[in-house]
Amino acid sequence: MAKMKTVSVSAYAKVNFTLDILGREGGYHLLDSLVSTVSLFDSVTATARTDGKTTVSFTGVGAEGIPPRNNALRAAEAFSDVFSDAFSMAGADITIDSKIPVGAGLGSSSADAAGVLRALAALYGISDTVRLKAIADSLGSDTGYLLTGGWARMTGRGEQIAPIADMPVLSLLLLIPSAGVSTPQCFAAFDRRAETFSPLTEKAIGCLRREGTKGAHAFGNALTRAAEELNPEVAVLLSEAAKLSEYGFGMTGAGSACYAVFASQEECLWARKRYQGTATALCVSTGTVQ
């Protein structure tokens, strides 16, 4: 039974600073990515029920466009199946106040799914991290990572997570266009383009450790050209980000959000005031832990 009546957690967005594609296996692309959660989050609240039913509802950014069968609901159903002794005869009402834009490469649906798992685990006193990670991995490539967040290196299809300590805090100006990019379509466009892209993740980790914020010059994303093909606004945002930051810039995930790197929040806020484009501009910082 529930240990508490209501639990609220913050489900943080993520930014990929590198995204190398190393091949394919079992229908999935093999990735190597330097990633960090950032201080933009959805709020997930789970309230215990006593009738075995579970509901998921959304408010906030993009709530009206989220389909009835969504990752948050799948997470709740999977949790119920795996931890049936503790959960199935109780249930929960889950509300998600969304601030992470959908289709921007910031991990919105994966963050929500991970947040649901964390909230339900706290609500029902579940501490089995191995089974929680297995559920998360079944829901999407980023979901297992977003159970914990922080700086990490993601490999495989994104399910293999190696936390990275002693990384600098980066301030980022996120530039988020009105139109997103479909992740499956972006990977398909990457395959179709058949371009070569030298792996950057190992180099980027070393540069950040040695040079701090200046190491951001080593960032890069193999999906950038494919995302620009699908959404030309990505190229515009990358050009604008390059003009704003002397440290580095790039695109996260499969797009469409781009970022410019700064050494402090003061610098980031200054750049946001200077920005004259049409994208939504948000200042965030790295290293947040779920």
Side-chain angles (χ1 to χ4, degrees):
M1 296 299 294
K3 305 297 182 182
M4 295 173 275
K5 291 184 178 180
T6 298
V7 169
S8 294
V9 301
S10 297
Y12 289 99
K14 57 84 181 173
V15 169
N16 301 88
F17 295 105
T18 65
L19 201 160
D20 303 330
I21 300 178
L22 308 180
R24 298 192 67 166
E25 182 178 278
Y28 292 97
H29 290 82
L30 298 177
L31 312 177
D32 191 3
S33 179
L34 173 62
V35 64
S36 176
T37 38
V38 297
S39 55
L40 171 67
F41 61 91
D42 291 351
S43 298
V44 180
T45 300
T47 300
R49 295 176 64 127
T50 58
D51 59 2
K53 296 180 180 179
T54 298
T55 67
V56 177
S57 60
F58 289 82
T59 60
V61 175
E64 67 283 351
I66 295 173
R69 291 292 302 167
N70 53 72
N71 260 11
L73 178 60
R74 292 186 183 97
E77 291 173 344
F79 184 96
S80 177
D81 290 341
V82 172
F83 299 108
S84 57
D85 290 345
F87 180 74
S88 64
M89 296 308 294
D93 289 320
I94 299 165
T95 59
I96 300 174
D97 183 23
S98 178
K99 296 181 179 66
I100 307 172
V102 176
L106 295 165
S108 60
S109 66
S110 295
D112 291 343
V116 166
L117 294 177
R118 290 170 50 236
L120 292 177
L123 190 66
Y124 286 97
I126 302 297
S127 58
D128 189 336
T129 56
V130 173
R131 285 202 285 175
L132 285 170
K133 175 67 162 54
I135 296 171
D137 287 339
S138 73
L139 296 167
S141 297
D142 296 327
T143 312
Y145 158 66
L146 287 169
L147 282 174
T148 52
W151 282 100
R153 186 172 187 170
M154 297 196 311
T155 54
R157 63 178 181 87
E159 83 286 3
Q160 298 172 24
I161 311 300
I164 304 175
D166 303 321
M167 296 296 270
V169 175
L170 304 180
S171 293
L172 309 175
L173 181 63
L174 296 179
L175 300 178
I176 307 166
S178 56
V181 172
S182 160
T183 297
Q185 289 180 18
C186 194
F187 275 98
F190 172 84
D191 292 338
R192 186 172 61 250
R193 294 173 67 89
E195 296 174 332
T196 57
F197 185 89
S198 298
L200 294 175
T201 300
E202 186 71 31
K203 176 183 177 183
I205 293 171
C207 286
L208 273 186
R209 282 180 163 160
R210 290 190 304 271
E211 305 173 40
T213 307
K214 293 181 179 179
H217 66 81
F219 294 165
N221 186 328
L223 293 175
T224 300
R225 299 292 175 260
E228 289 175 343
E229 175 186 317
L230 296 170
N231 183 353
E233 196 170 358
V234 171
V236 175
L237 295 185
L238 286 170
S239 176
E240 292 172 340
K243 294 174 183 176
L244 292 169
S245 172
E246 64 178 308
Y247 299 106
F249 63 96
M251 181 189 80
T252 178
S256 57
C258 299
Y259 61 85
V261 180
F262 301 92
S264 69
Q265 280 293 96
E266 290 75 17
E267 289 183 6
C268 187
L269 291 169
W270 176 80
R272 188 177 69 180
K273 290 180 181 178
R274 288 184 60 211
Y275 176 63
Q276 300 296 314
T278 59
T280 298
L282 301 174
C283 285
V284 300
S285 56
T286 62
T288 51
V289 178
Q290 306 284 27

